[in-house]
């Protein structure tokens, strides 16, 4: 199986497994797009908390009570006036008192908390969904291994559409959106910054790169782009999953079981629709159509071990069309049993789906597909695959022999 097929097939399998509402028969397009990710740097004020020096805290409490003269405080504490004066300079530098020796809100908060609270200037770099200008949460980070730049695409990927500067995404656009108002910036960065940040004073877009994602278009639904994410709280395979940054309408979020997903902001919807349109245009090009034909022949014969019987409307296979067994043919049969079809996808064919259908009148094929579905729903893929591979005897009648082996496995 080619790397282009593996990437697309695994992505589609994982997306369909996570979002069970997706019916494969409703897929109109599934293919790679490059999604813009902004890297931004923010200047921020952040609170720090430390244990108070006992003398500093006492001086601050005296000031809060109205004592402003260092001599008076020194006499009350049994210390020198010069020492108290130095304490006042420190409290001024912390922002706990002002130049008139009045206690500030920060000073009052420090007394209430019983800790020395100070404001420091800090910088932090974030990754941002550049279409919506929303922070990519630290606990839902990108799978960094798939970040690429369009200039780095190979020849076979040149046709893949991406949301580029010409579509309206630029560093200045990102900065302008984030600088609309400070409250908005804090809201957008929430979840990625330290909880003690009190203000964002400036923000800069350091650059825009692209993450290879997949656009899915279902019948009756707007296209949505799934981006591979990394969940630090997940376990095993669940640590990596596909998630949209946003959806066109809240009803779409409910459809996918994620009502909390943000709604597209500003021109995001039109930009994704434009990406889908360009994907369709690429998909009808002579180069892509040639790749589809080559991919269909290559995959069906070399990978899935089947001979197709194309009709005027669909690519069909019968039980006698199976001439070798492999893990890929097991996945194919599972698709027949579960969905009544199997989609062939490939990164090179610009979102086009090549469906393979079982002959509905072939009872042997239908029975085998049913047994495969039952076995894989009950046991792990590796167990079923190894069990069949070891016991399969008749290489000329793959489907018939698989039925016998699967009956044995299901009776265990």
């Amino acid at each position: 199986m080619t790397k282009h097929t593996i990437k697309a097939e695994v992505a589609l399998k994982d997306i369909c497994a996570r979002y069970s509402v997706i019916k494969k028969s409703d897929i109109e397009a599934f293919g790679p797009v490059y999604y813009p990710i902004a890297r931004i740097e923010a200047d921020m004020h952040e609170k720090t908390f430390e244990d108070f020096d006992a003398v500093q805290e006492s001086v601050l409490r005296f000031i809060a009570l109205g004592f402003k003269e260092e001599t008076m405080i020194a006499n009350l504490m049994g210390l020198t006036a010069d020492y108290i004066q130095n304490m006042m300079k420190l409290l001024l530098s912390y922002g706990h008192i002002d130049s008139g020796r009045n206690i500030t809100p920060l000073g009052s908060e420090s007394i209430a908390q019983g800790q020395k609270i100070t404001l420091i200037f800090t910088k932090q770099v974030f990754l941002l969904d550049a279409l919506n200008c929303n922070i990519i949460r630290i606990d839902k980070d990108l799978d960094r291994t798939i970040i690429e730049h369009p200039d780095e695409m190979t020849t076979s990927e040149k046709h893949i559409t991406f949301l580029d500067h010409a579509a309206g995404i630029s560093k200045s656009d990102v900065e302008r959106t984030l600088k609309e108002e400070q409250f908005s910036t804090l809201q957008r960065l929430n979840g990625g910054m330290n909880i003690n940040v009190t203000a964002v004073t400036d923000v800069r877009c350091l650059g825009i790169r692209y993450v290879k994602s997949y656009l899915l278009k279902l019948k009756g639904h707007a296209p949505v782009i799934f981006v591979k994410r990394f969940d630090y709280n997940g376990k095993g395979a669940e640590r990596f999953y596909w998630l949209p940054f946003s959806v066109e309408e809240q009803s779409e979020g409910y459809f996918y079981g994620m009502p909390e997903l943000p709604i597209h902001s500003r021109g995001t919807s039109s930009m994704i629709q434009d990406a889908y349109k360009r994907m369709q245009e690429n998909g009808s090009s002579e180069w892509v159509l040639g790749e589809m034909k080559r991919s269909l022949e290559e995959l069906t014969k070399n990978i899935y071990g089947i001979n197709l019987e194309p009709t005027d409307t669909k690519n069909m296979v019968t039980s006698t069309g199976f001439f070798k067994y492999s893990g890929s043919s097991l996945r194919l049969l599972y698709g027949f049993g579960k969905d009544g079809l199997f989609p062939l996808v490939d990164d090179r064919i610009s979102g086009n789906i090549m469906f393979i259908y079982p002959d509905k009148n072939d009872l042997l094929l239908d029975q085998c597909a049913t047994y495969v579905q039952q076995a894989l729903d009950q046991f792990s893929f590796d167990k079923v695959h190894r069990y069949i591979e070891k016991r399969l005897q008749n290489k000329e009648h793959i489907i018939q022999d698989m039925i016998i082996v699967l009956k044995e496995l299901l009776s265990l």
Side-chain angles (χ1 to χ4, degrees):
M1 189 178 298
T2 69
K3 64 178 182 179
H4 304 286
T5 307
I6 291 173
K7 291 177 181 178
E9 183 180 300
V10 171
L12 181 59
K13 177 179 70 70
D14 290 348
I15 290 172
C16 290
R18 187 174 182 89
Y19 306 100
S20 57
V21 293
I22 298 174
K23 294 181 179 179
K24 292 187 175 70
S25 57
D26 287 341
I27 300 176
E28 293 183 336
F30 181 79
V33 296
Y34 284 100
Y35 195 101
I37 302 296
R39 187 168 174 265
I40 64 165
E41 182 181 59
D43 297 336
M44 302 177 295
H45 286 154
E46 181 179 346
K47 287 181 179 178
T48 64
F49 297 81
E50 300 177 51
D51 291 337
F52 242 134
D53 175 87
V55 176
Q56 291 176 11
E57 184 178 6
S58 297
V59 172
L60 185 61
R61 289 184 182 277
F62 277 121
I63 293 174
L65 293 172
F67 297 94
K68 298 185 179 181
E69 295 297 326
E70 59 264 26
T71 303
M72 184 177 296
I73 296 175
N75 290 335
L76 290 170
M77 296 184 67
L79 300 169
T80 66
D82 287 344
Y83 186 77
I84 298 301
Q85 189 177 49
N86 288 333
M87 291 299 102
M88 287 184 169
K89 288 179 180 178
L90 281 174
L91 293 172
L92 179 64
S93 69
Y94 298 156
H96 291 173
I97 61 174
D98 60 23
S99 58
R101 296 183 177 177
N102 301 300
I103 193 164
T104 64
L106 189 63
S108 297
E109 186 181 356
S110 294
I111 290 175
Q113 293 282 346
Q115 287 184 296
K116 182 178 73 177
I117 303 174
T118 56
L119 286 178
I120 62 171
F121 174 80
T122 185
K123 296 177 184 285
Q124 190 171 344
V125 175
F126 303 90
L127 288 182
L128 207 69
D129 157 17
L131 292 193
N132 298 294
C133 281
N134 289 328
I135 193 70
I136 297 173
R137 291 177 58 93
I138 293 174
D139 59 344
K140 298 289 186 291
D141 204 356
L142 288 176
D143 175 8
R144 303 299 179 88
T145 60
I146 61 173
I147 291 181
E148 301 178 34
H149 192 283
D151 292 342
E152 301 165 1
M153 290 189 292
T154 64
T155 302
S156 62
E157 294 176 314
K158 290 297 184 183
H159 65 283
I160 299 177
T161 189
F162 60 90
L163 299 155
D164 58 4
H165 293 190
I169 295 296
S170 67
K171 290 168 60 175
S172 58
D173 290 331
V174 173
E175 289 182 359
R176 183 168 55 251
T177 300
L178 289 174
K179 290 179 179 179
E180 286 176 348
E181 54 178 312
Q182 189 184 60
F183 180 70
S184 173
T185 301
L186 276 168
Q187 279 188 319
R188 292 181 190 279
L189 301 184
N190 187 29
M193 66 169 69
N194 190 305
I195 60 173
N196 297 322
V197 172
T198 60
V200 175
T201 57
D202 195 16
V203 64
R204 295 166 296 282
C205 182
L206 303 178
I208 296 176
R209 289 176 66 83
Y210 297 81
V211 58
K212 189 177 179 183
S213 310
Y214 281 90
L215 183 149
L216 173 71
K217 175 66 174 71
L218 297 177
K219 294 176 183 176
H221 294 272
V224 61
I225 295 178
F226 288 87
V227 183
K228 195 171 187 180
R229 312 295 292 278
F230 177 79
D231 187 348
Y232 287 95
N233 299 316
K235 294 182 180 180
E238 286 298 312
R239 298 181 75 188
F240 299 93
Y241 62 96
W242 295 88
L243 178 72
F245 281 133
S246 60
V247 288
E248 189 167 271
E249 300 175 354
Q250 191 174 30
S251 59
E252 291 291 286
Y254 277 102
F255 173 75
Y256 287 105
M258 297 175 292
E260 73 285 355
L261 274 179
I263 308 302
H264 295 334
S265 63
R266 297 195 174 183
T268 301
S269 180
S270 61
M271 294 172 73
I272 292 178
Q273 289 284 355
D274 178 66
Y276 174 53
K277 180 180 177 181
R278 281 185 283 161
M279 179 181 284
Q280 288 180 305
E281 291 171 352
N282 288 336
S284 61
S285 69
E286 185 177 342
W287 187 88
V288 170
L289 292 175
E291 283 296 307
M292 287 180 66
K293 182 179 179 181
R294 187 173 70 179
S295 181
L296 186 63
E297 293 175 352
E298 174 186 300
L299 292 174
T300 53
K301 291 184 178 179
N302 300 334
I303 305 302
Y304 297 101
I306 57 175
N307 289 314
L308 292 177
E309 294 187 10
T311 67
D312 292 337
T313 57
K314 61 178 64 173
N315 295 306
M316 192 175 66
V317 64
T318 65
S319 57
T320 57
F322 285 76
F323 59 84
K324 72 175 181 179
Y325 172 79
S326 67
S328 295
S329 56
L330 186 61
R331 290 195 299 272
L332 178 78
L333 287 163
Y334 182 79
F336 287 172
K338 187 175 186 295
D339 306 304
L341 51 82
F342 185 80
L344 290 182
V345 290
D346 191 301
D347 278 359
R348 298 167 296 187
I349 60 177
S350 195
N352 284 297
I353 300 287
M354 301 179 293
F355 287 110
I356 297 177
Y357 297 88
D359 183 348
K360 292 183 178 180
N361 298 317
D362 193 321
L363 298 181
L364 277 177
L365 185 56
D366 180 67
Q367 186 180 25
C368 186
T370 300
Y371 285 155
V372 167
Q373 183 185 359
Q374 291 174 356
L376 289 178
D377 286 344
Q378 184 174 345
F379 306 106
S380 70
F381 182 90
D382 287 343
K383 180 176 181 178
V384 176
H385 176 45
R386 286 197 301 267
Y387 193 90
I388 296 174
E389 202 170 32
K390 287 180 180 179
R391 290 162 178 79
L392 206 61
Q393 300 296 326
N394 196 332
K395 305 299 182 182
E396 295 182 0
H397 302 284
I398 299 291
I399 297 300
Q400 288 176 308
D401 208 19
M402 280 186 68
I403 291 174
I404 296 171
V405 174
L406 286 165
K407 279 183 178 180
E408 293 175 0
L409 176 61
L410 291 169
S411 65
L412 294 178

